[in-house]
Amino acid sequence: MRKLIFVVFVLCCIVTNAQTGTIKGQITDKQSESPLPGATIELLSEAEPIGVVTDYDGYFRLEDIPVGRQTIRVSFIGFETITMPNIIVTSGKDAVVNVSLIESFAQLDEVIITNKNAKAKAINKLASVSARQFGVEEVTRFSGGRSDVGRLAANFAGVSSPDDSRNDIVIRGNSPTGLLWRLEGVPIPSPNHFSTAGTTGGPVSALNPNLLKNSDFITSAFPSEYGNAIGGVFDLGLRKGNMDDYEFTAQASAFTGLEAMAEGPLGKNRGSFLVAGRYSLISLVGGGGGTSAVPNYSDLSFNVDFGNGKLGNFSLFGILGNSDIEFLGDDIEEDDIFAAEDENAFVESGFGVVGLKHQISISENSFLRTIISGSLSTNTYEEDRFIEKNTPEQRIIRYKESDNNETRFTFSTMFNSKLSKKSTLRTGVLIGNYGVELEDRDRDKQEDNDGDGDPDLVVFRDIDENLSIIEPYIQGQFRLTEKLTLNAGIHGQYSTLNEQFVIEPRAGLNYKMGNHQLSIGYGLHHQPVPLPLLFLNENVNGELLQTNKDLDFVRSNHYVLGYDVKISDGWRGKIEVYYQDIDNAGVEPFPSSYSTLTEGADFSFDNDRVSLVNEGTGFNQGVELTLEKFFSKGYYGLVTASFFESKYEGSDGIERNTPFNNGQVINFLAGKEVKVGKEKKNALLFDTRLTFSGGRYFTPVNLESSQQAGFEVLQEDIAFSEQYDDYFRWDVKFGYKINSKSKKQSHQFYVDLQNVTNKTNVFERRYNRVTNQIDQVDQTGFFPDFGYKFQF
């Protein structure tokens, strides 16, 4: 393999320097999302400016653009001008830039307002606070990111993810189960390989960043179109394929695997297709991620746009993924994160979402968008345990088995209308039907009531249920003055399971003062407890009953105050202060430290928390700082710091740390591009990332009781009273980008050295049945990732 990579590298290096590429895209009105014909696009990087105007559908095309990073200025009479820097032009792929302009508050004969660094703002125009957008370049550029959008989010202020083995996203001290994943406007299950029922993370993402367009990440007080979440929103969109030319990408990476992607025009109405498939290569470099077992995973993603016709625009999108791994006890090391030496475990999981989206213009300033989608999330787990292993009495028993499936059918429709330059209205409804099949059997912590010498295999979940959640909403944006903007709306949520209906007011206010902006936001949010808890069985007089089924929604009030400043050209500073008050959490009906707010810290859910009541409370509070240098003059930088507190109360009324109360998280990222070659068209890339975080709180093990019982017994009377050591990690990434002179081709290589100091970060301390002691299990040490991308 190393020889093959070396040969490819040598062949690519003899290619001479690149010449030109293409910048193209569409210009739209941000409020109405209608195209702007006649808008002017200027290339600012050349001595003699190059300019074009958009056609009837708002499309433009700038050709023969020198490769490298370029800047364009987009203007339209009566609208605020936007300058878009750092557009990466290569010889292997057209650069697609879609820009939305905001109509000027006052009627102007000449546009004089210039808005730079649009990435500091959310794509969703109704998001007032705690929101930012990100692009594919950031996902693939940052060191240590493994081309994973979840790990990208861990660099943003307010996010904590000190876990090398999973990409769970902890937002402002909330459980990762509080996160809402959305794709193309509809909620989806956890888009990760090896995910488990009810969770939102996994070891490897099934989202291919090469298909994503710029998307939004929102951490609190989100707009009224988002519901059924109390932690945050990851609102993802898929880009369209190239409408003019056929383009192809071949890629290889240790984590994302082998990849092939194709895109091109479709039909006569400016349609396009985009499809990509990936297959894992992790076996070539070892298991990684804290286990010696070898994971296998693959995924297929596509977005087919049928263009604009008389009936509007139709597009078909989807992601399909599957994964499996075997943990064989004879091959497992003592410090393995996921397995034990006296077990054989077999894991399979699947993820899929397919949707049909339709958008039609109702008038010049209004449109209707409707999406129908279906999704599937499956995972099976089988565990066989060796009894008296390596002795003449050795035998094997089935110890655990789980077969969980969740299907979703979603209907979403949204009407958006630009009432005037000062006001926009958005209203709609989302209907989600959830089909849940959960089967879980486990011997852990059970008695031997049948007298066969082994703990009984007890059924904890054996259900086949359906429920629907209906979410109507209405929201408006009102530009009260040129400096003052109000976003306000109402979200409703109804569950057919227990016929609960709630109304959630949302509001955000932005006040601009030159280079300064002050923001304030409030939002009421509700979410049911995770489904594996909601449908947990309890044995009541010999009958299995779902005694958590009637639990109400968990309720959360968000309060946010933010200040944003443009320090200088390309530099931005931001500070946000927040408080989140949570109640209606599920707790036990007797004095106990347990709360559903602590779930999500592990790969599964407790199976003995039954007859819960909605009497738990909690709060999250903190301050977040961001200092960002957008890419210019060959470098970028990002520093984020979060200082927070996350607490909860169980039914015993004692205030405790949540397991997500790290206290502080600090990230430093920087990168540099050095132009090389005779014409300075190729580039050497250098990126680095340092992360420091306080350790997670955990519940200590009662060693004596565990030794007597033969399984782990926790000291729940002092739950989450101890804290792991601080987390630290330093990643360094090197890359080389080559552009072809005579052909539409480009090459890129990188080596990503993760955890270069080989820092021993704690994963957990747990009772080990084999050693009969409390053992510390560490996270991944030094790990090199590598990659190669060929675009043509």
Side-chain angles (χ1 to χ4, degrees), residues 21-24 41-43 50-52 60-65 72:
T22 298
I23 301 176
K24 63 182 184 181
I41 298 90
E42 302 169 88
L43 182 72
I50 301 173
V52 297
F60 73 93
R61 186 180 180 94
L62 289 167
E63 297 182 322
D64 300 322
I65 306 302
I72 64 172

Side-chain angles (χ1 to χ4, degrees), residues 463-645:
I463 65 158
D464 186 353
E465 293 277 355
N466 273 275
L467 71 148
S468 295
I469 295 181
I470 303 172
E471 304 174 54
Y473 60 88
I474 184 170
Q475 180 153 334
Q477 181 181 83
F478 309 97
R479 304 173 73 187
L480 304 178
T481 69
E482 189 170 356
K483 297 181 179 180
L484 188 63
T485 300
L486 171 67
N487 292 315
I490 295 175
H491 179 273
Q493 190 162 298
Y494 173 79
S495 171
T496 60
L497 184 67
N498 53 16
E499 299 184 347
Q500 183 185 8
F501 179 70
V502 293
I503 295 178
E504 305 171 339
R506 316 277 178 84
L509 198 64
N510 296 104
Y511 182 67
K512 295 181 180 179
M513 305 163 287
N515 291 332
H516 307 264
Q517 177 173 293
L518 187 66
S519 303
I520 186 171
Y522 165 76
L524 177 62
H525 310 273
H526 291 81
Q527 184 182 29
V529 300
L531 297 186
L533 288 173
L534 197 62
F535 296 119
L536 189 61
N537 289 124
E538 181 180 5
N539 191 324
V540 180
N541 298 323
E543 183 180 1
L544 293 179
L545 301 178
Q546 297 164 16
T547 54
N548 295 335
K549 194 174 181 179
D550 292 328
L551 283 172
D552 289 338
F553 296 132
V554 180
R555 180 170 54 197
S556 171
N557 285 276
H558 292 225
Y559 307 87
V560 189
L561 178 65
Y563 169 70
D564 201 314
V565 59
K566 178 184 175 183
I567 301 173
S568 62
D569 190 24
W571 285 87
R572 170 208 184 202
K574 183 178 181 180
I575 181 171
E576 282 197 350
V577 180
Y578 66 89
Y579 180 80
Q580 181 184 6
D581 182 59
I582 305 173
D583 62 357
N584 271 13
V587 296
E588 293 181 303
F590 50 85
S592 163
S593 63
Y594 175 77
S595 170
T596 56
L597 298 180
T598 65
E599 295 281 3
D602 205 346
F603 304 120
S604 59
F605 297 89
D606 287 346
N607 56 21
D608 57 354
R609 308 298 184 174
V610 292
S611 295
L612 301 181
V613 293
N614 288 108
E615 297 178 2
T617 61
F619 71 87
N620 299 306
Q621 60 184 7
V623 58
E624 300 165 359
L625 306 171
T626 298
L627 177 63
E628 187 164 13
K629 165 64 168 63
F630 296 97
F631 197 104
S632 64
K633 299 180 181 179
Y635 74 99
Y636 72 88
L638 175 66
V639 179
T640 61
S642 306
F643 304 95
F644 62 98
E645 187 176 35

